[in-house]
Every structure is written in structure tokens, then in C-alpha cells.
Amino acid sequence: MKKLLLLVSILTITLNLVAQEELVYQKPPKEILDLADFERAPTLLMDSKRTKMIFQYRNTYKTLADLSEKEMRLAGLRINSVTNISSTITYVNNLKYKLINEPDAKQVEGLPADAKISNVSWSPDETKIAFTNTTATGVELWYMEFATGKAVRLTDANLNANLGNPYTWFRDNGSFLVRVLPADKPALVDAKAAIPTGPTVSVSEKGAKAQNRTYQDLLQNATDEANFEALVTSELYKVDLSGNKTLWKGKDMYSGETFSPDGTYILINTIHRPYSYIVPINRFPVMTNIYDTEGKLVSKFNDSPLREVLPKGFMATSTGKRGISWRADKPSTLYWVEALDGGDPETKVDYRDELFELSAPFTAQPVSLAKTINRYGGIVWGNETIAILYDNWWNTRNVKTYLFNPSDPKQQPAILSDRNYQDVYSDPGSFDTKRNEYGRYVLNLDGNKAYLIGEGYTEKGQFPFVDELDLKTKLSKRLYQSNYTDKKLDIISIIDAKRGEYLVRMQSATEYPNYYILNTMKRIAPVAITHFDNPFKSIANVYKEVIKYKRPDGVELTGTLYLPAGYDMQKKEKLPLVMWAYPTEYKDKSSAGQNTTNPNEFVYPYYGSPIYWVMRGYAILDDAAFPIVGEGDAEPNDTFISQLVANAKAAIDAVDSMGYVDRTRVAVGGHSYGAFMTANLLTHSDLFAAGIARSGAYNRTLTPFGFQAEERNYWEAPDVYNAMSPFMHVDKMKTPMLLVHGGDDNNSGTHTMQSERYFNALKGFGAPVRLVILPKESHGYAAKESVLHLLWEQDQWLEKYVKNKK
């Protein structure tokens, strides 16, 4: 008996040793490391006249030390409770500047050492920029005169940036309205160490259906509520360019401050009780008041209640005023929309939403401006008689664009376009805007003519364009269309339509994206205004091709194929293949089959890319099209599995028919919903040698009130939920799968537990699976140590189970 017990103990210890690996962070092979360890190019901020340029530099990755700073997770927020700013923010570490006609950017002088810059913005007159800097103890406000290039600190490190940008420019260009932490801010309480005074009780009233998504980082108890209030409570101060500050408004939970275009009034939002334990902060009650520039209350304008209970469906919304904002083309006029269907998409009505406005002094009755057939989707103001209105309806993928006259609500809005927004070939483009005298962006108008910038996707490729639209005749004239076939061109904005001058970005598969001034009237080459270098020269000679193929049901598909540099196209050695994809739902096959991949797009191997493995002797099929189509009354997910497999088989068949790959050595991978796809493909097909699934959700009963593009709840479509859940079919999964998940995933529905529970179930059935939890990481991975280790893990997996498959 003693020998038996000893044997059991030895076996138990042995099994435990095998179950986990004591592993320090690893680095991938040199071919991959050289690509991953690069210096990131700066991002560009320009003024509205396109004459001034600010270059913002940042580190390529964060560090684990960054991710390990003290953090509190409350009401859907992740906050650094020491510095009082979002713990997920990405900082800029340096600023340079120049005029567009100057050859080189100059260093901004006086920046703090070890700068952590964020919230960069132009002053109303665009002669200065302001920004925040985060120190070890808090957030400061700084500004820079563009003419001198000297940065100056204005405040101590006591700003409250827990709800976003803590400052707003006054219209005088010389002062700010700033959220400051109260001097008597209460100490935060450790919720785990606090002794509870009673149980946590939540209540559901009969008939009040709160069918909400699976949110994370929510409030859980009274201690959380107290900490939340302590973290988001501020005082508002007026701070001038000399650093002088005056208390402007006392303590409250300020969540937004917006000046009227003329600077006369300020719209201020404040959060108030009751809070919720089932929805995040953006559904909490909000009071909206109007003040003058001295802080005197002008109007208690609106009080939006807690929104725990909403009708079912993606197009459901709240009743009452929503989207309250200042009209961009008038001095001080508010506008908003209200639902005409009670916010319930199941209610049959002729019009879903109504648009209202109210001008200062905000004492008259609101004026109805227009009604929308679908749910309100946005507005671009023009002038007194011209505005553009959008609506959309998710279930039909319909989007409408209206032209209406704000000065005459009796005029029926004219529908300019009525289309399926997934039909990219029919996209008329987006209206160009320009900065007006108030510093707000309005329609770029020349009399009754407006301008549209289009991405220009067609069956033959992508050819961006600029159209001139006559708003009286509704007829358009093409002013310019790109004819580049060896480069990808993006039209950023119109500088001067009459002179044919545009700000564009250009790139090719081997040329890093840079900005240019393009003049279509003059026969000269575009003039470069940035000169960012290609940090990935080692893959410059990799073969790249966008391939087209079809599913058996006729749906056209595309993918971007990469082959190693020097690959012999005549000999055609059979390579292992890595396929990477992400499913997308459609309501018609025509839209699903449209090509939005440009072969001239720069090859950028970001942390999650499979491109690295072209350097290890693999063929890569990146961004393989995986449409899931449900036409008419059918829902896409009703046939999710069969369509997944059909997409995958069509892709492998296509590359195999070209003679490049060994179809017995194919891996599939994806992130988030792509991981969900991967797990299902390995479970329901025998097409793959291995798979990589990162940060996915595998048990849809844990997201019972909808996920991704699924509107139905679990009880309405249990067969669909169960069929789509790889967790429910672990007994069928026999293919090697690498599961990776951030240890602190904050994405709705992809809690880290999803991978942990899935791994345990797979292990229970003896599946060949490895689970890697990256500590401190969220839904995407940020720390350099994590990213390099991830690449090592993926390389090890592919080498063992794909390239060198036994």
C-alpha cells in the first residue's frame, strides 16, 4: 500500500511538472528579431492651412515596467491611480516642428526629460500647441509657441486626466479650462483589503430587460463606487499662458467641456448617481448644463438617466436628447437628435430619429430641422442653407446621405445617396471640410458646389478620386482620379480645388508611406513634405501578389500572397503556408466578393502580423477573405461553420493550384474573432497542420446577449451559439493549437478566462494544445518583452508542427 501511494505521489508530481513550464521571456530568431526591433517613424500633425507641421515621436513598444504601474479598473476604465491618467495610453516622447517649405524639422526646446506627452492640440488660431506631460506623480499642462519652438510648463502635476484630455482652449488663444484634482481628494481604498459592511445586492425589476454585452472592469461594490468618485472628481480652473490659475468651477465629476464656436458659452457634462454594476461609464447618468465664460449657469439643459435597460438590437438607442453638440457653422446653437420609435428597432415607424436645434439664450422652443428614415448617423454643417445629414440601419447595411436646408425645415431633405455601406464599389466618397472663422470644420463649399474625396475601390483596383458635386442639380464632375498602378495613393484633403492641389499620402510595397503635395494642373511629380525611411529593408525583395479566387458558391475572394525573396518561380519548391484571416459578416454575396486590398500597400510587419515568417521560408497568405453571408431573412451565422470551411478550402486550393505550397503543411491563425475562427477551423476541418489562436472567445454561452455581429441572444438561437462554440466540440479538436491570451484582457467578451477554460477542456480530451498567458497584457499586446516572446512562441510552434511536421 505504501509503495502504491508513493507511486501515485511520483506520478502526480511528474504530471504537474509536465503541465507547466518555468520559462523566462524569449526572443525570436534573428531574421524575425531584426524586423520586430525597429525604430518607429513619427506621426504628423498639421494645421488647417497645411503650412505647419508637428512631428510626434514615440517608442516602438511599451515595457513590462510600464504595464506594471499601479492600476485601478472601474466602470470600464483602466486608470493609473498614481498619475491620474489612463493606464492604457500611449505616450509621445519627443516633438519636432517645421514649416512645410523648410528642409528639416527642428527640435522643440525645453521639453521635460523623459517626456511622456499626450493630448496634443492646436490653439484656436493655430499659432501654438498645448499638450500634457505625465511625470512620476501626475499630469502637467504645457504649451509651445510655434514661432519660437520653445515649450513651457504651465501647471503642477495635479491635472485629472482620468476621463481623457483634461484641458480645453478658451477662444482667446491665451488661456485654458483645466480639470484639476481637488486638494482634499480622498484616499483610495484597497477593495480587496477593505472589510465589507454588508453584501452587494443587485436588483432586476419585472419586465425591465437589460440584455447587455459582456462588459469588463465594471464597478462591483460600494468601495469601487467610492474610488470611482475620488478618481473622476475634479475642480475646473482657468489657467493662462503665464501659469496663473483661477478657480472657475467647484468639485464635480466633469466628463466633458465644449465651448460654443464663438466662445461665448460652455457646454459641460457631469456624471452623477446612480451607477451601474452591469454597464460601463458611457451608460451612466449625465447632466448637461450651459454656462457663460465666467462660470455662471445659463441653462440646465438635459439630464440623461442611467441606461441599463435598452430595447434589443444593434439599432436600439435611448429616448430623450442624445448627441448634444454645438452647430459648427453658427456662433452658439446647439443641436441634438431624439428617437421617434422609443429607441426600439422593432417598432414600425416612417422616421426613426428627429434632429433639433436651439440657439442662445436657449429659452425658446427647440426647432425641428429634419427627420431620418434610419437611425441618425451624423451631420456635416455647411452654412445657413446647406447641411449634409447621414443615417444608417445595420440590419440591412443601408446608409443614406441627405442634403437639407437648416433655415427652412419645411423643405423635405433630398436623398443624395441610398446604398449598402458594404458595397465599397458604389461609395461616392466623403465630403471635404475646411476650417471656418470659429475654428470648426464645415463643408468645403464654393457657392453651391461641394467636394467629395473617395477611396476609389473598383473591380480593377483602387483609384482614389475627387468629385465636384453641384448641390442644385445633384450632378457631379470628376476633378481628379489617381491612375497610379505602382503606388498606393490616399487623398488626405483638398488644399485648393481650383488649382488642383491636394495633400496626399503615397506608398508602395517597399516604400514607407510619406506625405506629398500633389498638383494635378501642373505636370510635375508630387512634392514630398516628409521623408520617412523604410525600417524593413530586409523584406524589400519579398514577392507580393494579391490573388483572386472563388468559393464553390461563386463568392469572389482575395488574399495577399507573400513568397520568400529569391523564390524560384520556375522550380516551385513546395513551401509551408501560414494563412491569417478575420471573418466579416455580409448581407449579400456581391458586397462580400468586393476587393479592398491594394497590392501597393506598404508591407508593415506589426507585432501581430504573420509576415515575419516569410523570412523563415514560409509562404504567407495574409488577410485572406473570410466573408460570412446571410442573404434575405437568413442570418450569416446560421451557416457560419460551413462558410468558414469553404473560405479556408478555397484559399488553400488557390495557392496550391499555383504550385507554391505543400497543402499538408498549412497553418491558420488569427486574433480575437480570428482566433475564434481558427479554433472552429481546427475543430471542423482537416485542412490544417496547426493553428495559432490569440485572445479569442471560445464559449458563446459566456456572451449570451450577442457577440460580434450576432444580434440574437442565446435563448433565441441556442443551436447557433452551441454550433459556433469550439468549447462545445473539444472532443473533435485533434490538431495542434497554440492558444495565446493577455493576462488582463479588457475587451468585451474575450475575458482571459475564455482561453483558460478552453485549454482545460481540450487538455481533458488529450488535444495537442499549448496555452501562453502574457502577464499584464490586454486584448492587444504592448510590451516589447511580450511581443518578442509571442513571436518566439509562434515560431517554435510553426517550426515543430508545420515546417517540420512529422
Side-chain angles (χ1 to χ4, degrees):
M1 184 65 179
K2 289 182 179 179
K3 289 182 178 180
L4 178 60
L5 290 172
L6 178 61
L7 179 60
V8 170
S9 298
I10 292 172
L11 285 171
T12 302
I13 293 170
T14 303
L15 287 171
N16 286 337
L17 288 174
V18 172
Q20 283 82 36
E21 291 184 15
E22 292 296 329
L23 192 64
V24 297
Y25 286 101
Q26 301 292 308
K27 292 182 179 180
K30 187 177 186 302
E31 308 97 302
I32 294 176
L33 182 60
D34 287 347
L35 283 174
D37 195 8
F38 70 98
E39 184 176 342
R40 187 184 296 272
T43 56
L44 179 63
L45 175 67
M46 297 185 73
D47 68 333
S48 62
K49 294 180 180 178
R50 308 305 185 191
T51 59
K52 298 172 183 174
M53 305 170 70
I54 303 290
F55 296 87
Q56 304 178 75
Y57 296 80
R58 69 180 180 90
N59 294 328
T60 302
Y61 305 107
K62 293 185 178 183
T63 66
L64 279 175
D66 295 330
L67 302 189
S68 299
E69 293 182 356
K70 193 170 182 180
E71 179 185 69
M72 298 197 81
R73 303 172 187 178
L74 302 166
L77 302 173
R78 292 194 171 186
I79 293 170
N80 184 318
S81 55
V82 174
T83 57
N84 289 287
I85 194 170
S86 170
S87 59
T88 63
I89 196 167
T90 298
Y91 292 110
V92 168
N93 59 33
N94 193 20
L95 296 172
K96 293 184 180 182
Y97 71 106
K98 79 180 193 77
L99 293 172
I100 195 171
N101 57 0
E102 293 178 332
D104 300 312
K106 295 167 285 189
Q107 177 64 48
V108 172
E109 297 178 13
L111 290 176
D114 301 318
K116 291 185 175 180
I117 294 167
S118 56
N119 302 306
V120 181
S121 73
W122 289 104
S123 60
D125 64 1
E126 299 184 310
T127 62
K128 312 171 187 70
I129 62 165
F131 56 90
T132 59
N133 176 59
T134 303
T135 71
T137 59
V139 179
E140 309 165 328
L141 179 62
W142 290 64
Y143 89 101
M144 181 201 85
E145 289 272 4
F146 192 91
T148 64
K150 294 182 179 179
V152 178
R153 182 171 65 88
L154 295 178
T155 71
D156 295 330
N158 60 353
L159 273 58
N160 190 342
N162 288 327
L163 294 183
N165 189 349
Y167 73 88
T168 304
W169 286 91
F170 274 85
R171 284 284 298 166
D172 62 9
N173 298 291
S175 55
F176 306 87
L177 189 62
V178 183
R179 292 183 211 157
V180 175
L181 294 165
D184 60 350
K185 174 190 170 188
L188 301 175
V189 179
D190 184 344
K192 292 182 179 179
I195 299 174
T197 58
T200 299
V201 179
S202 299
V203 177
S204 175
E205 300 293 342
K206 183 177 180 180
K209 298 180 180 179
Q211 298 192 6
N212 295 299
R213 288 293 179 104
T214 312
Y215 298 110
Q216 301 199 51
D217 301 334
L218 301 175
L219 299 179
Q220 297 182 39
N221 49 53
T223 301
D224 281 354
E225 292 188 36
N227 285 335
F228 170 76
E229 289 188 346
L231 286 167
V232 302
T233 296
S234 305
E235 295 172 329
L236 292 179
Y237 277 82
K238 185 174 183 179
V239 179
D240 66 21
L241 295 183
S242 297
N244 301 310
K245 66 176 187 177
T246 306
L247 181 65
W248 193 86
K249 203 74 185 158
K251 288 189 293 186
D252 212 328
M253 290 185 283
Y254 299 105
S255 60
E257 305 85 40
T258 311
F259 282 88
S260 61
D262 65 357
T264 304
Y265 300 97
I266 309 174
L267 191 70
I268 293 185
N269 292 329
T270 52
I271 298 166
H272 64 84
R273 289 178 178 269
Y275 309 134
S276 172
Y277 294 2
I278 63 172
V279 294
I281 187 173
N282 63 346
R283 305 265 291 266
F284 285 8
V286 173
M287 179 75 75
T288 301
N289 293 331
I290 305 169
Y291 296 86
D292 65 17
T293 54
E294 300 302 317
K296 180 182 177 182
L297 180 65
V298 175
S299 171
K300 291 185 176 181
F301 190 72
N302 190 55
D303 191 1
S304 174
L306 176 66
R307 294 182 295 132
E308 277 190 346
V309 178
L310 288 176
K312 178 178 168 294
F314 290 165
M315 300 314 299
T317 190
S318 56
T319 56
K321 298 182 180 73
R322 69 180 199 275
I324 303 168
S325 189
W326 296 106
R327 189 169 155 176
D329 62 325
K330 300 191 90 174
S332 50
T333 296
L334 287 172
Y335 73 93
W336 66 93
V337 292
E338 297 184 27
L340 298 174
D341 56 5
D344 188 350
E346 294 297 318
T347 300
K348 304 300 180 184
V349 292
D350 293 331
Y351 297 98
R352 294 285 175 182
D353 283 332
E354 187 169 8
L355 175 70
F356 294 92
E357 75 169 13
L358 182 62
S359 298
F362 317 107
T363 55
Q365 288 298 309
V367 177
S368 172
L369 296 181
K371 296 178 181 179
T372 60
I373 297 170
N374 295 324
R375 191 66 74 210
Y376 169 79
I379 194 166
V380 185
W381 297 101
N383 55 34
E384 190 70 28
T385 60
I386 296 174
I388 299 295
L389 179 64
Y390 298 96
D391 72 15
N392 64 83
W393 199 251
W394 180 85
N395 306 76
T396 59
R397 310 303 197 265
N398 179 254
V399 60
K400 291 181 175 64
T401 304
Y402 304 82
L403 169 67
F404 76 102
N405 182 348
S407 67
D408 187 3
K410 293 181 180 179
Q411 287 187 28
Q412 190 73 9
I415 296 178
L416 295 178
S417 70
D418 186 354
R419 50 182 289 272
N420 178 344
Y421 61 75
Q422 289 185 316
D423 177 9
V424 295
Y425 293 172
S426 70
D427 188 349
S430 301
F431 283 94
D432 187 55
T433 59
K434 65 179 181 182
R435 209 164 184 260
N436 65 8
E437 67 272 26
Y438 302 122
R440 305 299 172 90
Y441 283 87
V442 296
L443 287 170
N444 183 5
L445 296 172
D446 181 9
N448 285 304
K449 294 177 180 178
Y451 302 96
L452 290 154
I453 299 175
E455 293 184 309
Y457 289 109
T458 72
E459 291 182 3
K460 297 180 179 180
Q462 185 183 9
F463 306 99
F465 61 85
V466 176
D467 281 353
E468 179 185 82
L469 176 64
D470 189 313
L471 297 175
K472 277 192 172 181
T473 65
K474 313 298 187 298
L475 298 177
S476 64
K477 179 174 72 173
R478 185 134 302 176
L479 299 181
Y480 169 74
Q481 183 154 25
S482 170
N483 59 4
Y484 284 95
T485 57
D486 61 340
K487 296 182 186 294
K488 182 179 188 292
L489 179 144
D490 300 294
I491 303 169
I492 307 302
S493 66
I494 297 172
I495 297 175
D496 191 319
K498 290 182 177 179
R499 294 191 314 194
E501 199 169 66
Y502 308 104
L503 175 67
V504 302
R505 183 173 56 236
M506 298 179 69
Q507 60 190 290
S508 74
T510 58
E511 294 177 12
Y512 196 89
N514 273 288
Y515 292 86
Y516 295 79
I517 301 298
L518 173 67
N519 192 307
T520 60
M521 300 289 189
K522 299 178 181 179
R523 295 185 177 180
I524 58 174
V527 178
I529 60 172
T530 63
H531 303 275
F532 304 138
D533 195 21
N534 178 4
F536 308 115
K537 290 185 174 68
S538 62
I539 56 172
N541 295 320
V542 164
Y543 176 81
K544 178 183 180 182
E545 178 186 358
V546 175
I547 63 172
K548 298 180 181 181
Y549 49 99
K550 289 185 179 182
R551 271 187 351 194
D553 62 358
V555 175
E556 295 183 350
L557 306 174
T558 59
T560 305
L561 177 67
Y562 298 87
L563 299 175
Y567 179 79
D568 191 332
M569 308 292 278
Q570 301 300 318
K571 185 179 177 182
K572 290 189 176 180
E573 175 193 355
K574 298 287 188 178
L575 302 175
L577 172 68
V578 177
M579 180 167 66
W580 211 260
Y582 190 95
T584 304
E585 297 82 355
Y586 294 87
K587 287 301 292 178
D588 69 290
K589 291 180 179 179
S590 175
S591 298
Q594 293 182 359
N595 177 24
T596 58
T597 303
N598 192 318
N600 299 309
E601 185 172 3
F602 179 70
V603 181
Y604 196 116
Y606 67 98
Y607 87 87
S609 169
I611 305 300
Y612 298 101
W613 282 273
V614 76
M615 300 295 292
R616 298 280 285 162
Y618 293 78
I620 308 296
L621 187 64
D622 192 21
D623 198 22
F626 264 70
I628 308 297
V629 185
E631 295 189 304
D633 293 332
E635 291 292 334
N637 286 341
D638 292 344
T639 52
F640 181 81
I641 300 299
S642 61
Q643 291 195 65
L644 272 191
V645 175
N647 290 326
K649 186 176 184 303
I652 295 172
D653 287 347
V655 185
D656 185 29
S657 69
M658 301 170 79
Y660 299 143
V661 300
D662 175 359
R663 66 181 303 138
T664 69
R665 293 187 297 155
V666 179
V668 64
H671 191 94
S672 194
Y673 209 54
F676 177 67
M677 170 205 74
T678 297
N680 270 305
L681 285 171
L682 299 190
T683 300
H684 299 289
S685 78
D686 58 0
L687 296 168
F688 300 99
I692 299 171
R694 299 194 315 242
S695 297
Y698 309 103
N699 183 351
R700 286 304 170 192
T701 67
L702 298 178
T703 55
F705 292 113
F707 58 90
Q708 202 70 8
E710 180 56 67
E711 265 193 319
R712 297 167 294 186
N713 65 44
Y714 174 78
W715 295 270
E716 291 173 315
D719 292 343
V720 171
Y721 273 66
N722 290 329
M724 291 179 68
S725 296
F727 184 88
M728 303 301 179
H729 308 280
V730 292
D731 56 322
K732 298 178 182 178
M733 214 299 289
K734 308 299 181 185
T735 306
M737 177 162 53
L738 174 64
L739 289 171
V740 184
H741 218 115
D744 296 312
D745 196 325
N746 65 343
N747 185 54
S748 174
T750 56
H751 194 281
T752 308
M753 176 183 66
Q754 286 272 4
S755 285
E756 294 170 336
R757 297 292 184 264
Y758 187 38
F759 171 80
N760 289 340
L762 288 167
K763 185 175 175 61
F765 280 86
V769 61
R770 177 181 177 90
L771 172 63
V772 178
I773 301 294
L774 298 173
K776 310 291 185 180
E777 295 290 354
S778 187
H779 192 57
Y781 316 140
K784 184 175 183 178
E785 299 94 326
S786 302
V787 169
L788 296 184
H789 185 85
L790 168 72
L791 296 174
W792 178 83
E793 289 279 1
Q794 293 179 158
D795 185 71
Q796 294 283 307
W797 200 256
L798 293 171
E799 291 289 293
K800 179 177 181 179
Y801 289 109
V802 183
K803 180 189 283 185
N804 302 303
K805 176 187 175 184
K806 295 180 181 179

